[in-house]
Amino acid sequence: MHTLVELLIDLKALATGDDPKKLERITKLFDDRRNPAEFQVGRYYVADLLVPSVLAQASHLDPKERRNAIKTAKLVFPRGAASRVIRHVIRDPNQGVRAAARRAASELGLSAPVPTDVRYERDDGRIGGFITMGWSFGMFANDTTTSRKPTKASRASALEQHGLPRLANAAAIAKLVGVEVDDLAKLMRPGVASGSGYVEFEIPKAKGGTRRIAAPRAPLRKVQRILLDKILGRVPVHEACHGFVKGRSTVTNARPHEGSALVVKLDLKDFFPTVHYRRVKGLFEMLGYNSTVAATLAGLTTYRQKLDDGTVLWPGVLPQGAPTSPALANLACLRLDRRLDALAKKCGATYTRYADDLTFSFKAAPEVRVGRFLWWIDGICQQEGFLERPDKRRILRNKHQQRVTGIVVNQGVHVPRADRMKFRAILHNCKKHGVASQARDHEDFEAYLRGYAAYVAMVEPALGKRLVETVEQLLGGARG
């Protein structure tokens, strides 16, 4: 029998220790229904210590770890802290994880944290819902009720409208991409072992940490580029979408927010991995392809990772590194962009999206409460199968520097002054001490100088032109 003080001491030692099985031990401790009432106090104490660890576990690659995170949240945390964890996996691509999250939400009596989705009618006659409505409908074999599915466009009109190739079977796909039919299955092998379609490596993030890249090998990359050119690149995206779109850039994404009284910036969590095989297959079906063709196209453009124990993760997801992933992610966001754009216009705002970065701006002080506006955005994102990251929200008023995709938009569009001054200092030192003296922090210093000068020229043409000329004079002199 623990006293309250003894319990809190034991919990603190467990929660702050280095034991790799600490979450499992704490969960087992709270799983005993015979424990005294002091354990209810311990929930609030231990939640503050464990929420970051359990949230990280809820984002683990292994579905078993994500299910363990749900169990810990349900048994150990109070309802408020538990809901923070469960909302991350309530629409997990893995069916087992998703089912566990829904059961936990039902047992804890969690209410819907988002607006109901009024586009669908449930079998019991009710409208909308949090747990079972939204993006997943029409993707699963048991979704047979027509009232629960969005209306599909005519297949003939979709193919003709976008000028897409008609593909009747796998043989037609193989002919389109220039491979043998038997090679299609080889290109869709999971993992990164010899004979699979991908290699994995890590690259550093700009703000610390690493990003895992799954890049297709040459044969698969060639196939994906053909699919991008012949199919995905021909389907238009929403006008608010600026990332990975020909003719658009960070500048076109920032310019609509110039001179705003208020800028709201948000970020979507796990943007590419959120778009999984089932969503990609449904997307190709919406374009007009039959189920067999859509399944093959989805298999060629998604990646199934293998864990160290040989487990193949299912469903596959969009790989960061494939040429088709940005186009597929943008098309998967088409309805999200439409709904957020409509919300922005209704509230007197302007909306743009660059990959996973969402930006809203108000030319004048908004009439709607910002908190309510953020609640609507979060609800729409969840209904469309994406999760917004509250820790990356930024609300920028015009008395402070307002940056949108790295560009200052307070008055016109400009490269941040601190960055400009730093680059000018580098050029000054190159002129004074030689180009080689400044190259110590860059693998390809010449490419860096040319690239940054070209970037400034894209944002501020007049200034950039002078910097480009200066860089070329320095590099020409260095060679001489």
Side-chain angles (χ1 to χ4, degrees):
M1 181 76 66
H2 284 78
T3 67
L4 178 58
V5 174
E6 291 172 340
L7 173 64
L8 296 182
I9 292 174
D10 291 345
L11 287 176
K12 182 177 181 180
L14 276 173
T16 58
D18 297 329
D19 185 355
K21 294 186 177 182
K22 65 180 181 181
L23 293 179
E24 180 181 340
R25 293 178 60 188
I26 292 174
T27 302
K28 186 176 181 180
L29 190 64
F30 279 86
D31 197 16
D32 189 349
R33 298 180 181 273
R34 297 170 299 177
N35 285 325
E38 283 81 358
F39 273 73
Q40 299 304 319
V41 179
R43 292 178 187 273
Y44 293 89
Y45 176 76
V46 78
D48 290 337
L49 301 175
L50 291 183
V51 163
S53 299
V54 179
L55 282 174
Q57 189 180 32
S59 300
H60 199 281
L61 281 175
D62 192 342
K64 295 178 183 177
E65 293 297 324
R66 300 202 294 275
R67 290 198 296 270
N68 289 336
I70 296 169
K71 183 178 180 181
T72 299
K74 181 181 71 173
L75 294 175
V76 179
F77 293 173
R79 289 175 70 249
S83 66
R84 290 180 58 191
V85 177
I86 293 173
R87 75 186 294 267
H88 281 73
V89 288
I90 198 72
R91 288 182 175 170
D92 194 274
N94 183 275
Q95 186 175 358
V97 177
R98 188 170 60 252
R102 292 175 178 178
R103 285 194 300 269
S106 177
E107 292 173 14
L108 294 173
L110 298 178
S111 58
V114 300
T116 56
D117 194 340
V118 298
R119 295 167 298 154
Y120 303 95
E121 182 178 353
R122 296 169 54 134
D123 292 336
D124 57 8
R126 291 185 293 166
I127 299 295
F130 160 56
I131 293 179
T132 58
M133 294 292 115
W135 60 270
S136 66
F137 273 75
M139 294 185 181
F140 305 103
N142 61 352
D143 288 333
T144 55
T145 306
T146 55
S147 61
R148 295 166 62 183
K149 297 180 182 180
T151 302
K152 292 186 178 181
S154 166
R155 292 190 172 188
S157 64
L159 292 173
E160 293 171 358
Q161 180 182 1
H162 305 309
L164 306 182
R166 294 184 177 276
L167 304 171
N169 48 40
I173 298 175
K175 183 178 179 180
L176 176 70
V177 300
V179 301
E180 297 295 328
V181 177
D182 294 340
D183 291 337
L184 292 177
K186 297 177 183 178
L187 294 172
M188 292 186 281
R189 288 174 178 170
V192 294
S194 177
S196 65
Y198 291 90
V199 294
E200 284 188 352
F201 54 91
E202 292 184 347
I203 60 173
K205 292 183 179 180
K207 297 183 179 180
T210 59
R211 187 187 308 278
R212 194 161 191 82
I213 301 297
R217 301 178 195 268
L220 180 57
R221 184 168 63 249
K222 180 181 177 181
V223 168
Q224 291 177 342
R225 289 194 181 279
I226 293 173
L227 295 178
L228 177 63
D229 180 56
K230 300 293 185 181
I231 299 177
L232 300 174
R234 298 182 180 184
V235 184
V237 298
H238 194 273
E239 60 183 8
C241 173
H242 293 265
F244 315 109
V245 179
K246 186 177 181 179
R248 305 181 195 178
S249 64
T250 56
V251 179
T252 62
N253 181 70
R255 188 167 286 126
H257 306 290
E258 175 188 347
S260 298
L262 182 72
V263 173
V264 178
K265 297 167 53 179
L266 305 103
D267 186 83
L268 298 178
K269 181 178 182 293
D270 298 332
F271 184 55
F272 284 161
T274 300
V275 183
H276 52 76
Y277 169 87
R278 295 191 184 102
R279 301 183 72 177
V280 176
K281 180 176 180 286
L283 192 154
F284 281 115
E285 288 180 339
M286 285 293 185
L287 292 179
Y289 295 108
N290 63 51
S291 179
T292 302
V293 170
T296 303
L297 293 174
L300 289 170
T301 52
T302 56
Y303 169 55
R304 292 175 293 160
Q305 187 169 357
K306 267 190 176 182
L307 300 179
D308 293 338
D309 61 2
T311 301
V312 177
L313 298 183
W314 175 257
V317 299
L318 291 186
Q320 298 193 51
T324 49
S325 292
L328 284 168
N330 282 339
L331 292 176
C333 288
L334 183 58
R335 193 170 64 184
L336 172 74
D337 290 335
R338 287 173 178 168
R339 297 184 68 189
L340 291 179
D341 187 55
L343 172 66
K345 290 177 179 176
K346 184 175 181 180
C347 297
T350 300
Y351 163 70
T352 64
R353 179 179 61 82
Y354 192 94
D356 57 352
D357 293 327
L358 313 181
T359 307
F360 300 83
S361 63
F362 297 83
K363 297 300 180 183
E367 296 181 4
V368 64
R369 293 173 57 186
V370 175
R372 174 62 59 175
F373 184 66
L374 292 171
W375 185 80
W376 282 330
I377 294 171
D378 183 66
I380 291 173
C381 289
Q382 285 200 45
Q383 288 175 351
E384 297 303 328
F386 295 94
L387 189 66
E388 186 254 325
R389 294 186 57 176
D391 60 310
K392 286 201 170 184
R393 287 178 180 174
R394 298 293 183 269
I395 300 175
L396 308 172
R397 304 188 184 276
N398 55 7
K399 62 182 179 181
H400 302 294
Q401 188 182 79
Q402 297 170 325
R403 289 195 190 188
V404 176
T405 48
I407 298 173
V408 179
V409 296
N410 292 71
Q411 295 180 345
V413 291
H414 303 284
V415 176
R417 184 175 182 274
D419 295 347
R420 295 199 313 267
M421 298 300 293
K422 179 180 178 181
F423 188 68
R424 281 176 167 170
I426 291 174
L427 295 182
H428 174 76
N429 289 334
C430 286
K431 187 175 181 179
K432 186 175 181 180
H433 304 291
V435 174
S437 67
Q438 304 300 306
R440 55 186 177 273
D441 295 329
H442 302 274
E443 293 183 4
D444 191 340
F445 190 53
E446 290 190 11
Y448 161 73
L449 293 177
R450 286 198 173 97
Y452 192 82
Y455 170 71
V456 176
M458 180 180 69
V459 181
E460 301 181 62
L463 173 62
K465 182 180 178 181
R466 296 195 298 270
L467 292 179
V468 169
E469 292 174 352
T470 302
V471 167
E472 293 303 325
Q473 289 174 3
L474 285 170
L475 295 181
R479 291 194 189 92

